[in-house]
Amino acid sequence: MELNSRIPSGPIERLWDETRFNMKLVNPANKRRHSLIVVGSGLAGASAAATLGELGYNVKCFCFQDSPRRAHSIAAQGGINAAKNYQNDGDSIYRLFYDTVKGGDFRAREANVYRLAQISVSIIDQCVAQGVPFAREYGGTLTNRSFGGAQVSRTFYARGQTGQQLLLGAYQALERQVQAGSVAMYPRTEMLDLIVIDGRARGIVTRNLVTGEIDTHLGDAVILGTGGYGNVFYLSTNAKGSNVTASWRAHKRGALFANPCFTQIHPTCIPVSGDYQSKLTLMSESLRNDGRIWVPKQKGDTRPPDRIPESERDYYLERRYPSFGNLVPRDVASRNAKYACDEGRGVGETGLGVYLDFADSIRRLGRKTIEERYGNLFDMYERITGEDPYAVPMRIYPAIHYTMGGLWVDYHLMSSIPGLFVIGEANFSDHGANRLGASALMQGLSDGYFIVPYTVGDYLASNKLEKISESQSEVGNAVALVEQMTQKLLAIDGKRTVDSFHRQLGKIVWDYCGMSRTAGGLRLAIEQIRELREEFWNNLRVPGSAADFNQSLEKAGRVADFFELAELMCVDALERNESCGGHFREEYQTAEGEAQRDDDNYSYVAAWEYRGYGSPEELVKELLEFQYVHPSQRSYK
Amino acid sequence: MRLKLKIWRQQSRSAAGKFVSYPMDDANPDMSMLECLDVLNERLIEAGEDPVAFEHDCREGICGSCGFMINGVAHGPLPATTVCQLTLRHFKEGQELVLEPWRARAFPLIKDLVVDRRSFDRIISSGGYVSVSTGSAPDGNAILVSKESADRAMDAAACIGCGACVAACPNASAALFTGAKIAHLGILPQGKPERDVRALRMVAQMNAEGFGGCTNIGECTGVCPKEIPLEVIAAMNRDYIRGSWRERDNLVTTIRPFTEWSTGSKLKVDRATE
């Protein structure tokens, strides 16, 4: 397959304007005649559905949760970047663009990132107008903070609940269109297949999660805003329901999946406390501003932290990275925590944790200042662990947090299946091999409010879409496939629960395709994944029936897809013989132990084409060109 | 630790429900309430029984999916905490925990501890927004908002829509939920143009959904995981009365709010699954 990324040529700052000018428009009176399907109601999905509804299209929006307001975008804490330069500190669209390309370790498309930086300013305006209560200065203007290693203050925030407030803004815009009759909302409805007719995405097959009914919905274009696949690791900071099913089933219908091995680990999460652990809770990275990270120098030192004298502590980040210290980027901080624990110097009952100690800051600044800065985070930590972080150092450990990979899309955010658009975390487009803090919210809203509403229109106006009907064989075949799979899952009637398989799968992926990877480990992982998948299909027990509110059945379908994705992640990680961003191959590191990119051989997007169950996927490369930001080695020494 | 779970089991809306007791002899005090149910469900599945259906998603207290009564208290005994963040160490050794779904006419039951809260979406849909289409916004700093207003709006906007307020209220009123949105948007200059109409429409929809009236008991704010203050209900009532007067020629049907018969006819209530 040939990939055409449809990146226009010319000066980068003119590309999006010219693209928009060259787009064909849909006559306002005709918009109502086009039915569009939006799957997912997070920042990307809700903003797209609302905006397309406002434009006059006939929109159907689907989510598996009981309400569109629950999508996992809601859990984002930190903030949203925008190149407003309100702080007059030298920020600009070009600087945000530069930081994002560099932060992504030179594995993102320049044209996409530049557009994202341009649009960032409109997002803030839109959200303010919707009534998002961003933090303000006493004079009434918007306030900013710096975030994620940026040297300018460009992050807008609403307390520690920025994602929630932005999502509620998009949700309210969506509900306004529901009231207006332009959007029909389908909560508790899961997409289980994509309907492709004459090579174009024309609809979806869904299951009503309350009644179990299988339905089809046809339209002129399908837009997926179904989020990332971090839950392949079982333990992640994602919501329990977050899954790859919509993306994966589209992949099996022909949409290429790009850079699946690019996953991001967040260094400051609350460690696992036992086998029953169901998810990991993230704490804002801002804690590293005043906390010092350390482990005992001695292996297996089980003394309580206050009994370990200063001389027997290893502040390993300060030791290895004297200039950045505890503030090194996410991937570096995470990897070093893993090394400390691998050496047997981890703390806590499981040995999978490192201390984040505020004692020095409390002595220096006073308890009150620390309380003002981090009070809510300290409360949350205490609520979960039962330990008082003012008295005892916090224990933290890295966790999977975001996935940069996703369905491949061109500059118009259209996948390799015409008529299938992919937005937000579900696509691969803007973050390269590593995402900067406060950029996920920006990308979701940029795609949903300001990009896909135009590009979908261009697609509809430039292509003659045949009339289709429910009676076509493609529709019936897709439904039959979904029903077969449901029956198959229920019929196994083995001994093990879905969660037990998911947990085991997650452990394999975490051990071999997590924070650091080796060729040998990845090969082993692929074998183990295949074996476990075999067992899954022979020894799974799903109680209940298909015509029921059946949470085990929902999970079973999602885990089945995670099995296939997990293998592809390992294949992708094995194929990429370099280290970059979130992908760290132990074989490829500098003498100082830093990631070693190989720009001569791996400066491309790895897009994978599905070739049938059990057959190896085929790699299609999209070469990346850097005309503006020249690849350089990251250094935080 | 040992706990005894007494859980409401009901296969579907039309089926009869009953309490079933499950001993948990090896619960871990560090587990969350939901993880305890996970462990129970694994055992039920292995024993060939139907697992307990309960709603959950983010498990960090922000999505608003989870929630049930524990010994008669919505989200259990810990203040400002949803059941997903409630760890078992807050219970006593050997304690019996009675788990029940939210019970309210406007939250019809789906299964076990899961209820249908679409009535909340319909309340938002009736007017809980600022009517500004994408692309038509002025610069973010064009309209100044005092820090105090932004902070007060944020206090109200923190609502996660979980429904605990309704479940805790003896009248099953949704006044705290509805008031939170009316206050959030009414405080900000961006929400002022529609302030009157918003209050009228949202209150009318709330009543039409079958939520009870507010009699200022305050149970709602007591169980609210986000500690939404009771004053949002005062803000709602004020905006409602103000709007009723100013819009008296336009919205006749809604000026008699606290009687059901006056509100239902023109409002859409989708009870398709009933």
Side-chain angles (χ1 to χ4, degrees):
Chain A
M1 180 182 273
E2 279 284 299
L3 287 176
N4 178 3
S5 57
R6 289 203 282 170
I7 299 170
S9 56
I12 199 160
E13 62 279 0
R14 301 270 312 140
L15 294 183
W16 180 230
D17 272 357
E18 280 174 20
T19 305
R20 279 191 293 175
F21 179 71
N22 290 327
M23 280 176 184
K24 290 199 176 138
L25 300 173
V26 180
N27 181 317
N30 285 340
K31 284 184 180 148
R32 203 162 26 87
R33 301 202 187 122
H34 288 291
S35 297
L36 303 176
I37 290 165
V38 179
V39 187
S41 66
L43 284 178
S47 59
T51 305
L52 290 164
E54 287 161 8
L55 288 171
Y57 293 106
N58 193 357
V59 182
K60 287 181 177 179
C61 182
F62 299 82
C63 69
F64 69 80
Q65 297 92 341
D66 73 321
S67 161
R69 68 179 292 153
R70 316 242 187 253
H72 193 56
S73 309
I74 205 156
Q77 299 170 355
I80 176 166
N81 285 331
K84 281 286 198 183
N85 194 29
Y86 281 158
Q87 305 308 321
N88 198 28
D89 56 2
D91 199 9
S92 62
I93 286 169
Y94 200 90
R95 188 179 293 280
L96 175 55
F97 155 68
Y98 178 92
D99 288 352
T100 308
V101 172
K102 183 175 174 225
D105 221 358
F106 304 95
R107 292 294 174 265
R109 268 190 212 138
E110 282 190 330
N112 283 57
V113 177
Y114 194 88
R115 174 177 63 186
L116 176 67
Q118 282 176 307
I119 289 173
S120 68
V121 296
S122 310
I123 296 172
I124 299 303
D125 300 341
Q126 185 62 33
C127 296
V128 167
Q130 288 171 345
V132 170
F134 283 120
R136 298 271 172 172
E137 302 290 349
Y138 283 102
T141 53
L142 291 157
T143 189
N144 294 110
R145 60 182 167 204
S146 63
F147 203 82
Q151 287 165 303
V152 291
S153 274
R154 63 158 77 102
T155 304
F156 295 76
Y157 62 99
R159 289 198 191 140
Q161 291 126 282
T162 317
Q164 180 200 25
Q165 293 309 314
L166 296 175
L167 181 66
L168 292 181
Y171 158 72
Q172 287 162 205
L174 175 67
E175 289 297 336
R176 174 173 163 244
Q177 293 311 304
V178 171
Q179 181 76 1
S182 56
V183 178
M185 188 68 221
Y186 294 80
R188 292 194 198 274
T189 309
E190 180 165 36
M191 167 179 159
L192 291 180
D193 207 353
L194 180 74
I195 297 171
V196 180
I197 298 176
D198 295 331
R200 295 179 187 281
R202 296 305 298 269
I204 58 172
V205 182
T206 60
R207 178 170 182 270
N208 179 323
L209 300 181
V210 179
T211 62
E213 219 169 310
I214 304 289
D215 274 318
T216 53
H217 300 271
L218 302 181
D220 297 325
V222 177
I223 299 153
L224 299 186
T226 48
Y229 49 87
N231 269 347
V232 66
F233 292 88
Y234 187 74
L235 287 178
S236 83
T237 65
N238 283 9
K240 292 295 285 176
S242 300
N243 66 80
V244 77
T245 289
S247 292
W248 193 256
R249 308 251 167 128
H251 174 56
K252 291 172 96 163
R253 290 278 175 196
L256 267 52
F257 206 107
N259 298 335
C261 80
F262 288 168
T263 52
Q264 188 174 66
I265 315 262
H266 196 289
T268 51
C269 299
I270 299 176
V272 174
S273 64
D275 310 331
Y276 51 81
Q277 187 96 19
S278 61
K279 81 153 267 162
L280 297 169
T281 303
L282 181 143
M283 289 182 300
S284 170
E285 227 174 339
S286 61
L287 288 169
R288 288 199 279 146
N289 289 329
D290 287 304
R292 296 181 71 195
I293 294 174
W294 63 276
V295 290
K297 280 187 178 162
Q298 285 302 317
K299 266 191 216 178
D301 188 339
T302 52
R303 287 176 291 175
D306 58 338
R307 307 289 291 278
I308 300 178
E310 201 61 28
S311 60
E312 292 175 44
R313 299 175 177 192
D314 180 13
Y315 295 89
Y316 56 88
L317 288 178
E318 295 171 23
R319 174 169 57 80
R320 293 188 66 180
Y321 307 93
S323 65
F324 274 71
N326 294 299
L327 293 174
V328 292
R330 289 176 176 180
D331 53 334
V332 180
S334 302
R335 218 157 38 235
N336 280 281
K338 175 184 156 59
Y339 293 153
C341 296
D342 287 352
E343 289 161 17
R345 300 192 293 149
V347 299
E349 237 168 79
T350 58
L352 291 176
V354 298
Y355 289 125
L356 178 61
D357 196 337
F358 289 85
D360 281 356
S361 295
I362 292 173
R363 259 197 301 279
R364 192 176 72 244
L365 304 164
R367 179 179 163 130
K368 192 159 180 297
T369 307
I370 295 298
E371 232 174 77
E372 276 166 14
R373 288 187 189 165
Y374 309 110
N376 58 339
L377 293 167
F378 278 38
D379 290 350
M380 180 174 80
Y381 181 84
E382 186 170 4
R383 198 179 306 143
I384 293 174
T385 63
E387 290 174 1
D388 173 12
Y390 293 103
V392 189
M394 282 185 176
R395 285 173 296 111
I396 55 165
Y397 200 64
I400 280 287
H401 171 55
Y402 188 87
T403 52
M404 281 74 69
L407 291 178
W408 182 89
V409 288
D410 63 15
Y411 189 64
H412 290 236
L413 304 183
M414 190 162 87
S415 71
S416 51
I417 302 176
L420 177 70
F421 294 78
V422 189
I423 56 180
E425 192 180 348
N427 74 27
F428 87 103
S429 72
D430 294 358
H431 306 297
N434 178 49
R435 180 179 63 76
L436 290 182
S439 287
L441 304 182
M442 172 171 73
Q443 188 223 336
L445 290 179
S446 162
D447 290 0
Y449 281 133
F450 295 107
I451 300 175
V452 94
Y454 299 112
T455 57
V456 165
D458 178 56
Y459 169 77
L460 298 173
S462 336
N463 290 286
K464 171 119 184 60
L465 297 170
E466 300 295 327
K467 256 202 141 18
I468 50 169
S469 82
E470 302 273 348
S471 59
Q472 275 174 271
S473 62
E474 290 90 341
V475 180
N477 291 345
V479 171
L481 208 67
V482 165
E483 281 170 348
Q484 267 168 30
M485 176 152 174
T486 307
Q487 288 314 324
K488 199 171 154 193
L489 287 167
L490 286 164
I492 303 167
D493 200 25
K495 293 209 157 54
R496 288 183 61 182
T497 64
V498 184
D499 278 357
S500 79
F501 281 108
H502 193 179
R503 204 181 287 274
Q504 198 181 341
L505 171 69
K507 176 125 190 2
I508 299 171
V509 187
W510 176 248
D511 284 348
Y512 300 111
C513 197
M515 278 186 279
S516 79
R517 301 142 182 202
T518 63
L522 289 164
R523 285 196 195 95
L524 190 66
I526 292 171
E527 252 172 62
Q528 292 185 0
I529 291 166
R530 285 185 185 157
E531 273 169 33
L532 188 64
R533 183 171 65 202
E534 190 66 24
E535 193 195 337
F536 175 84
W537 284 107
N538 287 299
N539 195 24
L540 175 70
R541 174 179 291 182
V542 181
S545 80
D548 192 8
F549 183 81
N550 189 340
Q551 292 171 314
S552 300
L553 180 61
E554 293 167 26
K555 279 195 272 191
R558 293 170 192 164
V559 173
D561 293 331
F562 278 136
F563 268 108
E564 295 177 27
L565 167 78
E567 183 174 335
L568 185 64
M569 282 171 69
C570 295
V571 168
D572 186 43
L574 191 57
E575 190 275 337
R576 192 171 279 278
N577 291 314
E578 63 161 351
S579 295
C580 61
H583 169 64
F584 189 83
R585 281 278 301 273
E586 287 178 20
E587 304 94 319
Y588 307 100
Q589 49 182 312
T590 62
E592 294 96 38
E594 301 305 325
Q596 177 94 61
R597 268 198 340 264
D598 178 356
D599 292 325
D600 294 336
N601 296 305
Y602 291 94
S603 188
Y604 59 73
V605 174
W608 297 90
E609 188 181 2
Y610 187 77
R611 313 287 290 174
Y613 188 79
S615 313
E617 302 217 0
E618 192 165 305
L619 174 61
V620 186
K621 296 176 186 175
E622 180 200 335
L623 296 180
L624 292 168
E625 281 173 48
F626 295 90
Q627 292 175 5
Y628 296 86
V629 188
H630 294 290
S632 59
Q633 170 81 41
R634 295 192 307 167
S635 173
Y636 298 97
K637 287 275 169 187
Chain B
M1 69 191 290
R2 279 186 322 110
L3 288 172
K4 196 170 143 202
L5 302 181
K6 192 172 158 192
I7 304 175
W8 183 259
R9 303 301 310 263
Q10 186 172 344
Q11 183 59 29
S12 69
R13 191 168 309 161
S14 48
K18 61 171 187 208
F19 280 109
V20 180
S21 285
Y22 302 96
M24 287 296 292
D25 291 335
D26 52 352
N28 183 316
D30 289 333
M31 279 179 180
S32 72
M33 189 68 236
L34 298 190
E35 285 169 341
C36 180
L37 290 180
D38 288 340
V39 172
L40 171 66
N41 278 345
E42 292 287 285
R43 283 182 199 156
L44 290 176
I45 295 170
E46 279 162 11
E49 290 173 50
D50 200 24
V52 179
F54 64 94
E55 196 97 69
H56 65 103
D57 202 22
C58 79
R59 297 208 178 188
E60 48 188 275
I62 192 75
C63 74
S65 295
C66 70
F68 41 76
M69 308 298 272
I70 303 178
N71 294 345
V73 181
H75 286 302
L78 208 62
T81 305
T82 51
V83 285
C84 64
Q85 291 204 310
L86 173 65
T87 45
L88 300 184
R89 74 179 78 92
H90 299 286
F91 298 110
K92 290 192 207 74
E93 175 66 30
Q95 197 176 345
E96 179 176 71
L97 306 180
V98 181
L99 311 188
E100 281 178 90
W102 295 159
R103 296 199 193 271
R105 184 151 69 105
F107 288 165
L109 188 129
I110 291 177
K111 187 177 179 179
D112 298 337
L113 302 174
V114 178
V115 298
D116 182 348
R117 290 170 290 194
R118 282 181 297 170
S119 46
F120 271 11
D121 288 332
R122 290 188 293 266
I123 291 175
I124 298 297
S125 191
S126 69
Y129 43 75
V130 175
S131 297
V132 52
S133 293
T134 305
S136 57
D139 183 86
N141 267 343
I143 299 168
L144 299 178
V145 180
S146 73
K147 183 173 185 306
E148 196 215 340
S149 299
D151 285 347
R152 275 173 49 229
M154 183 63 221
D155 289 341
C159 169
I160 57 173
C162 64
C165 47
V166 175
C169 177
N171 308 331
S173 166
L176 197 73
F177 170 80
T178 312
K181 191 48 64 188
I182 289 173
H184 157 212
L185 296 175
I187 290 165
L188 294 171
Q190 287 82 4
K192 295 273 198 248
E194 295 169 286
R195 190 172 151 193
D196 295 335
V197 184
R198 177 182 307 119
L200 292 174
R201 288 190 180 149
M202 290 180 74
V203 169
Q205 186 71 37
M206 173 179 83
N207 291 334
E209 294 289 350
F211 290 104
C214 171
T215 50
N216 289 317
I217 294 165
E219 286 282 337
C220 51
T221 188
V223 299
C224 175
K226 296 295 151 184
E227 301 181 303
I228 303 291
L230 208 53
E231 70 182 42
V232 301
I233 299 179
M236 173 179 79
N237 289 338
R238 184 195 55 196
D239 281 9
Y240 183 78
I241 290 163
R242 198 180 87 135
S244 300
W245 172 249
R246 304 222 295 204
E247 296 287 329
R248 62 192 179 279
D249 298 330
N250 299 331
L251 285 158
V252 184
T253 53
T254 60
I255 63 169
R256 290 158 293 180
F258 298 119
T259 46
E260 258 187 69
W261 54 265
S262 65
T263 56
S265 62
K266 289 195 173 175
L267 297 161
K268 196 173 69 180
V269 179
D270 171 19
R271 292 259 172 80
T273 47
E274 258 183 357

